[in-house]
Amino acid sequence: MSAHDSAVLERHGLKPDEYDRIVQALGREPSLTELGIFSVMWSEHCSYKSSRIHLKKLPTRGPRVLQGPGENAGAVDIGGGLAAVFKIESHNHPSFIEPYQGAATGVGGIIRDIFTMGARPIALLNSLRFGPMDGATGARTRRTVEGVVAGIAGYGNSIGIPTIGGEIAFEDCYAGNPLVNVMCLGIARSDALVKGNAGGVGNPVYYVGARTGRDGIHGATMASAEFDDRSAEKRPAVQVGDPFMEKLLLEACLELMKGDALIGVQDMGAAGLTCATSEMGARGGCGIEIDVQHVPQRETGMTPYEIMLSESQERMLLVVKRGREAEVEAIFQKWDLHAARIGSVTETGLLQVKSRGETVAEIPNAALVDEAPVYDRPTARPRYLDEVHRLDLESLTPVSPQQALGSLLSSPTIASKRWVYRQYDHMVRTNTLVLAGMGAGVVRVKGTPRALAMSTDGNGRYCYLDPRRGAMLALAEAARNVACAGAVPIGATNCLNFGNPEKPDIMWGLVEAIEGLSDACRALDIPITGGNVSLYNETDGRAIFPTPVIGVVGLIEDASCALGRSFRAAGSEIVLLGASVGRGDAEPKGRAASAGLGGSEYLKILHGLIAGDVPHLDLEAERALLALLAKATAGRLLLSAHDCSDGGLAVTLAESAFDSGGIGCLVDLPAEGAMGEWDVLADLFGEAGGRVVVSVAAGSLGPLMDLAAECGVPARRVGRTGGDRIAVTVGGRAAIDWKLADAERLWSEALAQYFARPAA
Amino acid sequence: MKARVFVTLKPSVLDPQGRTIADALHSMGYTGVGDVRQGKYFELDVDAPSADQTRAVAAEVADKLLANPVIESYRIEVDG
Amino acid sequence: MKARVFVTLKPSVLDPQGRTIADALHSMGYTGVGDVRQGKYFELDVDAPSADQTRAVAAEVADKLLANPVIESYRIEVDG
Amino acid sequence: MKFAVVVFPGSNCDHDAYHAARHVLGQDAVFVWHKETSLQGADAVILPGGFSHGDYLRTGAIARFSPVMNTVTAFARGGGPVLGICNGFQILLEAGLLPGAMLRNKDLKFHCEHVHLRVEQTDTPFTLRAPVGQTLRIPIAHGEGNYFAEPDVLRDLEASRRVVFRYCDTSGIATPGSNPNGAVNNIAGICNEGRNVVGLMPHPERACEPALGSADGLVLFESVVSALAAQASLP
Ligand SMILES: Nc1ncnc2c1ncn2[C@@H]1O[C@H](COP(=O)(O)OP(=O)(O)O)[C@@H](O)[C@H]1O
Ligand SMILES: [Mg+2]
């Protein structure tokens, strides 16, 4: 039947009908090199074949959007002629194989996506998921965490971009499949965004950066019949990052982009040279001809197949104007980089690959990029959902609030992440206005009065229980976080981490999450400008929880209004904005309590349960809350703001007192009728969205209450800052009364203590 | 006894350090130096009765801790 | 020819990396491993006609660049 | 006055030093690429933080061979004020303009956080506006700031009062707990015999504006401005 037997196709991850489409597109049988090229471009990773039709549902337009999905990164207008360029990307699999290098090269990749757009990167964030820190896999998890954190630090610190925020959570389902999502944001002049287009027949195509080696050639394409037996061992599956090389590339590219010699540029990330050439050709509606002989190589005897598929890091492809070669080469020379001319732009629309003048591949760019298969995969609601929604609190023994708070504060997901962010240079570039760990990351934009706040959030537990509402909650949380810092959310990026989409129940979760995210974005007026999809996150057939991670970017018009989470002065008033208690809504008692604790960290940590209905969310109320926060911060009414999320109101109050220099609080939460033990616990530890704890100077209380009423946001004064204790009563009855210093020590040392354990 | 463990990146793994050192040497005028590879070197004092047993301990330690098998390989020498 | 350069911290310099590895090994039960010292290891391809000349180049390069005499000393081996 | 901020490949706090000198202090400042041999008439030189040449091999080891270092050395020998911050300090050590060397932080981890420093000496151009014993709150950001010198060198440094900054606690006492990296004698910064070349691991340029959490680092820059003004007013 075909020129390649089924084993070859399987190794390339191509289905028989996909092969037929290749033959159709070419009008002939592909060569092995061509097969390799198709296989990577039509892979899930590059073609989004399972998710593409659903991603279309995301709202991607808005008055500020300068660049939506489709380019190396998205961009939004931040005023003053500037754009914020940002994107998030996953590096899950490489980080599991080699945590340090996997994470480091993930950071390197996302930074390239930003500066290829003509933006100077000024901030990095990440979102990480690992298995439990103790138990049978604890030692391995701790090594993975150490490696990933060191890798992110190693790359970001060296290249000089501050890592200003992120999140980490620990859950059983990630033990065999950790998630490493990294986000980068840069600033560009909005009239000078650079695109990944080729154009201008006869213009030269340049290759700049690290030399190409056999690293990272797609695993599925490795041991084909054409290779000798030793080629597999010659090809490490993991790449080593070189932040120094990338720093040179970054500076050289930005210098080049100041002039007008450049037509387009793209980094060589996934699918390397193949992806960069064909995508730039397809976007520009033109052809590209290269000769692999001119590609700088690190190893001897590389075949065209290997050169085209290598994923060696820190490489860029550029199309520049003919006649400007000397100028371009001189800029790279200055930075000790060698720009190699490897080909030119043609009118054919073809990707033509030669080796020493001889054609080894000739494929229409459109076939590779635009005509990749698209699947509407079957979906089915997973059966486990019927089970997990049942939550019978009466069968559990409630834990005292104080004990529960202690367990939560020392659980790795809630404990202070200082051990982590202390390893990240979060201050380089002298823009960081809210220090790491103090809420959303906030950087000022030098030369303007503005600042940008950003936050990455996801919640696999909620999405496991309800992917639709879980995705909404993730967006709402990220938006709320930037709003707490004083920002108006103006754009978002997302990374969809899921299992195998060929399984209908996984696919169902993916579709639910995308639709939920779309609805939430529409309701909150936050366009999605890009993102990334990471599928097949499974080990031994066990998938991770559906884990959409959302990165929201917010604008602060007056940088001096930026806020952190911690109390600033004793004697200020504490106000709870949003629905007053953890239940979030006024359903009857009992049911309300169980709804309030559904999916909570409390249930997981104290009772080992992931069950119930996910926290309440009212998008209209959320929208009103965001508006209120924007007005209150711009009016300088607030001293601190911290949203309620993992661990609920009790943890939010404690965290507001932490890092405040020892300012405690005295809080009384309202009781509604006769409160049972579970009602109290739900009020303290329920995780309903749409709530923020703020502190205000006594004189600002009135204006804040008026503003809240005007915005239609429930607001209630619940206490006052001061003293050296965290004291919380519910309806006047003591619930928590703890010396702040003791609680803070527990919280701040819990994570580090895991790493003080023997390596074993 | 003393065991020496040499850990080097596998041949096809990128060695940015080695490359940067080579570049520096070239710009300092040492054009006769071609490729440079950088690795790690460990000296272990092992309390074992024989060279063979010292080597065995060193190998175990190298496997478990000193070398990262995904990107590195190692070699062991034992004194005497 | 190939020159191998081993750079180690001088005995008088505390080696935080070696110390950490030794501690880790002890906690993993390798109580027979005493002191651990970590150093660097370089392989240089030197374009020189003889072993002596290769060694001379390597020594110059080690003096100037590869080792910091304030804290480190080095040793050279040449192939063949 | 005019600051020269030297840019090595891999420097990444060059813009921060420039920003502090130019936009916070309002002085003139220029970038000097490491391949240049002129300091463009600058009155003071800053070797900024970062990862010159990736910090591959050893911190500062390769940068010290840059052409500009001959010029910087001559400038220093002529008494010109030179400030090495973090990687800049490491380069000064490798270049032999300051004694000693850096080891990895004792816990082998990179630390980015605010620390406290006690100003030990005020007869350098970078500290003359700070009272002796003043405690500064300034961030560090390094993985290799564990300062080491042989005992005789150390004795000499202390005897000639060349330890300029020491890590200390909030009340100004140099304790083991306030030493973030294991540096011998809690040393955070030193000067040369001529006292015109100062190197320190913490980043004063990151602590020049209250909005960034501290303006305690400003005193280093103000000091050198004063020092040069005083010099200029001499007959
Ligand atoms: N979840 C998503 N939501 C919206 N856009 C997405 C998503 N995932 C990917 N995209 C967009 O699809 C395009 C291709 O993505 P990707 O292949 O990850 O880019 P790269 O080539 O930089 O790796 C990008 O513009 C990206 O923003
Ligand atoms: Mg890209």
Side-chain angles (χ1 to χ4, degrees), chain A residues 375 410 685:
Chain A
Y375 296 128
S410 56
F685 301 110

Side-chain angles (χ1 to χ4, degrees), chain C residues 56-79:
Chain C
V57 171
E60 213 180 304
V61 160
D63 275 331
K64 277 211 183 150
L65 186 67
L66 300 183
N68 177 346
V70 177
I71 43 173
E72 295 169 327
S73 54
Y74 65 86
R75 191 164 55 80
I76 295 176
E77 283 175 11
V78 174
D79 257 9

Side-chain angles (χ1 to χ4, degrees), chain A residues 71-72 87 89 109 113 116 266-267 269 279:
Chain A
E71 281 288 340
N72 287 312
K87 188 169 167 217
E89 198 144 281
D113 277 338
T116 48
Q266 179 153 338
D267 75 298
E279 284 193 356

Side-chain angles (χ1 to χ4, degrees), chain A residues 170-217:
Chain A
F170 302 85
E171 201 80 69
D172 289 3
C173 68
Y174 305 108
N177 219 310
L179 301 184
V180 175
N181 293 180
V182 282
M183 173 172 165
C184 184
L185 179 141
I187 300 291
R189 276 191 24 226
S190 35
D191 60 358
L193 290 173
V194 179
K195 306 264 167 102
N197 285 356
V201 172
N203 279 334
V205 174
Y206 276 98
Y207 169 116
V208 193
R211 287 178 294 160
T212 296
R214 289 190 172 89
D215 39 359
I217 295 175

Side-chain angles (χ1 to χ4, degrees), chain A residues 45-46 48 55 58 68-73 87 89 113 266-267 270 275 279 494-496 528-533:
Chain A
H45 188 89
C46 290
Y48 292 87
L55 291 176
L58 293 167
E71 281 288 340
N72 287 312
K87 188 169 167 217
E89 198 144 281
D113 277 338
Q266 179 153 338
D267 75 298
C275 180
E279 284 193 356
N494 71 104
C495 192
L496 303 172
I528 295 277
T529 65
N532 177 245
V533 180

Side-chain angles (χ1 to χ4, degrees), chain A residues 317-365:
Chain A
L317 192 77
L318 296 85
V319 175
V320 309
K321 289 182 185 159
R322 192 161 35 155
R324 309 286 292 275
E325 291 87 348
E327 184 184 325
V328 171
E329 288 170 20
I331 288 175
F332 288 109
Q333 193 84 48
K334 171 187 163 187
W335 293 96
D336 294 326
L337 295 166
H338 171 60
R341 189 177 164 165
I342 62 167
S344 52
V345 176
T346 67
E347 75 245 296
T348 60
L350 297 172
L351 169 62
Q352 288 169 293
V353 182
K354 300 196 165 162
S355 178
R356 301 182 189 286
E358 197 177 307
T359 298
V360 294
E362 194 169 88
I363 309 172
N365 285 319

